[in-house]
Amino acid sequence: MPEHNIPLEDSALVRARTALGDFELTVCTDGTYLLDGGAMFGVVPKPLWQKRIPADNENRIRLGLNSVVVRTGKHAVVIETGVGNKQSEKMQKIHQNQALLPASLAAAGVSPAEVDIVINTHLHFDHCGWNTTLNPDGSVKPTFPNARYFAHAGEVAHGHLQLDRDRVSYLSPNYDPLIESGQMTLIDDAAIHAGGSICQGISVELFPGHTAQLMGVHIEPVRAVESRSAAGGAPHACYISDLIPTAHHLDPTWVMGYDLDPLRCIEERKRFYARAIPEQWLVLFTHDHETPMARIELNDKGKPVVMRG
Ligand SMILES: [Zn+2]
């Protein structure tokens, strides 16, 4: 399995590494955290989801916090930055998160100073936490000092509204200091409709539903000749973020209680599969600690499942 060829001693901190054309993809991790199992599986009855992922005695399940480092030859790109080290003691106790991303990047041989692009698919606290690092004196500094950060303008606007439903998910120290310093570029829908290019081979696309402006990240190496997918097409990976948070969420109807528009999520998942399955995209899962990447196929019942073999 080329996706899992990491030496055993590093496997806890570096979840997967693979070549995609002339790009290198490494899945780093901020560790794991605990979320309510019911919230993660929405209206799916517990007897069904519990067969796939066990809950503790407080009904919590363990999830991963995967960041993907893409080396394109020209750029070192980090997609998503985990929970970070700015959690209050109370929230840290609830989530039991470990703030491992700096150690994970080090284990993968990635220096924060060499990262020149950071992409946030949306601005929930568990996706952009290490955008900035909390100093002992209470101030924050950019974790990636030389990077240009990218996020959707609509996510920032939504976060600033501090709505009753989801204000706990939007922590402004994760993005406001970067906006104020000019280090974060805010993407709008017009830029996405014009192709959403971040750099050569990496682009963003809207997959709304979890939030109104959730972005998936497409990774499409330019020089792809030596590494054609089994389907014969050009290699293509996609970090689909919270549209499909884990490999246990592949069924289009297994959407999350957290999703702002679950019906839209179901339609967007179908739209995603219509390309990802026939073109055999490598799908990168944001919250799956055990299966950080997989190709998808339809089983004999027509349901999307992880491709075996
Ligand atoms: Zn989210």
Side-chain angles (χ1 to χ4, degrees), residues 122 124 126-127 210 242:
H122 61 307
H124 283 165
D126 51 341
H127 291 258
H210 177 67
D242 276 339

Side-chain angles (χ1 to χ4, degrees), residues 33 80 121-127 169-170 210-211 214 241-242 256 258-259 287:
Y33 69 145
E80 231 74 318
T121 65
H122 61 307
L123 293 173
H124 283 165
F125 77 98
D126 51 341
H127 291 258
S169 294
Y170 288 94
H210 177 67
T211 65
L214 182 99
S241 186
D242 276 339
M256 293 189 280
Y258 296 113
D259 296 332
H287 292 310

Side-chain angles (χ1 to χ4, degrees), residues 128-140:
C128 59
W130 281 111
N131 278 5
T132 54
T133 300
L134 181 64
N135 295 315
D137 67 4
S139 62
V140 300

